[in-house]
């Protein structure tokens, strides 16, 4: 089974802080994704990575950056956290050529005060 | 624009009763289709998927979904709901190409009453 882990389940940060969310997968999947989930909006894609050091913007990249230095690890960075970034953040992975069947981590609920 | 719509925000069903969750998609060509379930405080778990072939798809936890091209729909069903089925359900779609994007509906929350 694919295992996708996220560094924290709950996180509380202050406005202006730099925030790192980490995602690690153990199935050698090429593709990794970061989503945010808000009530009534479903999941929205922030960034996507298809290989080490490669990234593409999703639908809502503003205020976020990402890093993928190793195949199994994909980090989401909030350079200067703001209250409107309070949300649930979900990491997902997919094997290349797998019809976009994605496997999700448990999520990190981030609160920015 | 490509989109996925789940018309029902919230559904309440009695334990043992049947459940049907609606999903409609708007794509130029038939996309790959998925249903995910999210239990409270958890990530998303894949229930079932449709790529091609038989339009009635069986999934885990006793769920099935029917693809209807004429209605651009992919509705999820379960004949007899258990209390543990209380969760949020997401329909998702991806284009039949190398495009990585998976588009999600807004979700339907299912409450199960005893």
């Amino acid at each position: 089974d694919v295992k996708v882990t996220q560094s924290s389940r709950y996180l509380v940060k202050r406005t202006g802080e730099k925030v790192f969310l980490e995602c690690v997968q153990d199935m050698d999947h090429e593709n990794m994704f970061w989503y945010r989930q808000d009530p009534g909006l479903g999941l929205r894609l922030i960034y996507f990575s298809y290989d080490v050091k490669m990234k593409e913007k999703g639908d809502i990249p503003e205020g976020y950056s990402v890093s993928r230095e190793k195949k199994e690890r994909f980090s989401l960075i909030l350079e200067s956290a703001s209250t409107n970034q309070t949300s649930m953040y979900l990491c997902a992975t997919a094997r290349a050529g797998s019809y976009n069947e994605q496997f999700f981590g448990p999520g990190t609920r981030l609160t920015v005060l | 624009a490509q989109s996925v719509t789940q018309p029902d925000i919230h559904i309440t069903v009695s334990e043992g009763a049947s459940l049907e969750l609606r999903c409609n998609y708007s794509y130029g060509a038939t996309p790959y289709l998925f249903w995910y379930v999210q239990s409270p405080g958890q990530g998303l778990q894949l229930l079932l998927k449709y790529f091609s072939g038989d339009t009635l798809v069986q999934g885990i936890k006793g769920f099935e979904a029917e693809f209807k091209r004429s209605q651009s729909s992919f509705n999820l069903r379960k004949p007899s709901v258990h209390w543990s089925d209380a969760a949020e359900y997401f329909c998702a779609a991806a284009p039949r190409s190398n495009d990585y994007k998976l588009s999600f509906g807004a979700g339907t929350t299912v409450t199960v009453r005893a």
Side-chain angles (χ1 to χ4, degrees):
Chain A
D1 279 353
V2 176
K3 188 159 186 182
V4 183
T5 59
Q6 295 183 228
S7 49
S8 305
R9 294 299 302 275
Y10 300 94
L11 206 54
V12 180
K13 295 292 182 181
R14 297 209 174 271
T15 302
E17 281 193 78
K18 191 168 186 176
V19 181
F20 293 87
L21 303 181
E22 289 216 311
C23 176
V24 179
Q25 52 108 351
D26 67 356
M27 283 302 293
D28 204 34
H29 283 182
E30 292 81 5
N31 300 337
M32 297 187 75
F33 308 81
W34 275 107
Y35 294 90
R36 65 176 282 176
Q37 181 184 11
D38 300 288
L41 297 179
L43 277 72
R44 293 178 291 167
L45 182 65
I46 304 172
Y47 266 99
F48 157 69
S49 170
Y50 55 90
D51 202 350
V52 174
K53 297 190 185 297
M54 305 306 290
K55 62 185 179 184
E56 286 194 21
K57 293 180 180 179
D59 298 320
I60 52 164
E62 296 78 17
Y64 303 94
S65 61
V66 290
S67 172
R68 192 163 180 205
E69 297 296 319
K70 294 185 178 181
K71 188 174 185 179
E72 68 271 17
R73 189 179 297 268
F74 191 34
S75 301
L76 180 70
I77 303 155
L78 288 65
E79 295 288 343
S80 177
S82 63
T83 54
N84 63 12
Q85 292 178 309
T86 292
S87 186
M88 170 74 97
Y89 290 88
L90 292 165
C91 174
T93 75
R95 184 172 50 82
S98 65
Y99 312 111
N100 265 319
E101 180 178 347
Q102 296 185 16
F103 298 86
F104 285 80
T108 296
R109 184 163 295 282
L110 172 68
T111 301
V112 182
L113 302 175
Chain B
Q2 298 170 339
S3 66
V4 177
T5 302
Q6 294 179 246
D8 304 304
I9 297 172
H10 190 199
I11 286 180
T12 299
V13 61
S14 297
E15 193 169 13
S18 63
L19 173 69
E20 182 166 13
L21 303 182
R22 296 183 290 162
C23 173
N24 295 98
Y25 62 88
S26 176
Y27 277 72
T30 300
Y32 302 127
L33 294 160
F34 308 85
W35 273 101
Y36 285 88
V37 61
Q38 185 180 34
S39 298
Q42 303 298 316
L44 275 68
Q45 180 183 20
L46 182 68
L47 282 175
L48 46 78
K49 59 199 176 193
Y50 173 76
F51 296 154
S52 64
D54 193 345
T55 57
L56 188 62
V57 180
Q58 301 299 318
I60 62 171
K61 302 178 187 265
F63 284 91
E64 65 179 25
E66 186 171 13
F67 168 66
K68 291 186 177 180
R69 185 190 308 274
S70 60
Q71 297 177 18
S72 297
S73 69
F74 188 56
N75 293 350
L76 182 72
R77 299 194 293 249
K78 186 169 184 177
S80 177
V81 167
H82 186 261
W83 64 267
S84 59
D85 294 322
E88 190 161 19
Y89 293 80
F90 292 94
C91 182
R96 291 179 180 264
S97 65
N98 290 327
D99 190 335
Y100 57 85
K101 281 193 174 181
L102 195 59
S103 295
F104 287 84
T108 299
T109 299
V110 173
T111 298
V112 180
R113 60 181 173 222

